[in-house]
Amino acid sequence: DQALGLVPTPDGNYLWVSQPYRNRVFRIKNPLQSSPVVDVILGQTSLSGTQCNRNLVPPAGPGTDQTADLNMLCFPGAISIDKLGNLYVSDHFLEVEGNWRLLMFAPSLFPANPSSVVYAPNATKEFPWARTGSGNPYHHLTWEPAFNSNNVMVVGENPYYSDRFVKYYKNPTAVNPSNPRDWTYAVHDGTLSDFYSWPVAAAFDSNDDLYVYDANRGQVRFYDNPLFR
């Protein structure tokens, strides 16, 4: 029952938790009260469901196009919430497990007080792992995203399938409503200039200063209010 990702909502009323080896992400209502309740489960259609992509679709791999549905998960790792309340799930885990993509779920998908558990809603947007049908894959084997006060997203990627430069996205919520998987809406705007090994975690403080943890090097890099032009 290993839990990896943890992110509370800003009001503290809910806690999101990812379980890579149970292939699901769930929300706990009233996590600090005497009777916490799981009221949303992403990736599965039942409380007992724990299989990668519900055992319906194999995970992503080199030379194949992404085929997992927007309501499936396979080894989900890091999770984050942006300044607009959108939940981001890195559908990918060590070393190269999972669906190799980043998913965004709008807050409107999650009622404040659902009458029953909400199972497996479709993601609002996918940052796909590959350009479908192209010979030039565009990877999103992401780790933990971070968001500044302008909702610019910064995220590191798995070095096995990236150029080892941390990416930033000025408008990560932009989406094609007729095709949430449209890769043209998931292209990064730029990169940090520093070469990384395993940038597995990122965070902004209240001054919009950025911190990125490079795991293999055992160091945290600090950026004094970086500008994303």
Side-chain angles (χ1 to χ4, degrees):
D1 293 342
Q2 180 186 25
L4 177 83
L6 295 171
V7 60
T9 57
D11 58 14
N13 291 331
Y14 306 93
L15 175 68
W16 287 97
V17 181
S18 69
Q19 288 186 308
Y21 297 108
R22 289 186 174 268
N23 302 294
R24 65 189 182 187
V25 173
F26 57 88
R27 187 178 76 169
I28 303 173
K29 180 183 177 182
N30 300 325
L32 299 181
Q33 296 186 17
S34 59
S35 299
V37 176
V38 171
D39 62 357
V40 179
I41 298 179
L42 307 182
Q44 303 294 339
T45 57
S46 69
L47 184 61
S48 60
T50 60
Q51 295 173 317
C52 165
N53 295 334
R54 302 197 293 279
N55 209 30
L56 299 175
V57 175
T64 63
D65 290 332
Q66 177 56 260
T67 56
D69 291 343
L70 293 174
N71 60 14
M72 295 178 177
L73 292 174
C74 186
F75 291 95
I79 53 178
S80 297
I81 295 175
D82 70 11
K83 300 304 181 184
L84 304 177
N86 298 290
L87 175 71
Y88 294 74
V89 177
S90 178
D91 197 10
H92 157 251
F93 192 52
L94 296 169
E95 293 271 324
V96 288
E97 302 278 16
N99 287 321
W100 296 14
R101 63 183 180 178
L102 179 66
L103 298 175
M104 183 189 83
F105 296 84
S108 58
L109 295 171
F110 311 123
N113 297 291
S115 58
S116 60
V117 177
V118 176
Y119 290 106
N122 284 334
T124 307
K125 177 180 179 178
E126 178 188 74
F127 295 76
W129 86 267
R131 294 175 177 171
T132 301
S134 76
N136 183 21
Y138 189 82
H139 302 299
H140 282 102
L141 283 77
T142 56
W143 303 122
E144 181 186 31
F147 302 87
N148 71 4
S149 59
N150 292 319
N151 214 47
V152 173
M153 180 175 78
V154 174
V155 66
E157 296 178 343
N158 190 315
Y160 290 147
Y161 291 96
S162 78
D163 55 14
R164 293 179 181 264
F165 289 92
V166 172
K167 308 296 192 300
Y168 66 83
Y169 301 76
K170 294 180 181 179
N171 187 14
T173 63
V175 63
N176 179 352
S178 63
N179 179 17
R181 312 177 84 154
D182 188 342
W183 66 264
T184 62
Y185 286 76
V187 178
H188 62 275
D189 293 293
T191 66
L192 302 185
S193 298
D194 289 337
F195 188 79
Y196 275 83
S197 179
W198 283 82
V200 297
F204 283 97
D205 65 19
S206 58
N207 297 316
D208 276 345
D209 299 325
L210 174 64
Y211 305 78
V212 181
Y213 174 48
D214 195 342
N216 272 18
R217 291 173 173 166
Q219 59 183 223
V220 176
R221 296 185 182 182
F222 168 78
Y223 300 86
D224 185 3
N225 197 359
L227 298 176
F228 302 99
R229 296 188 176 91

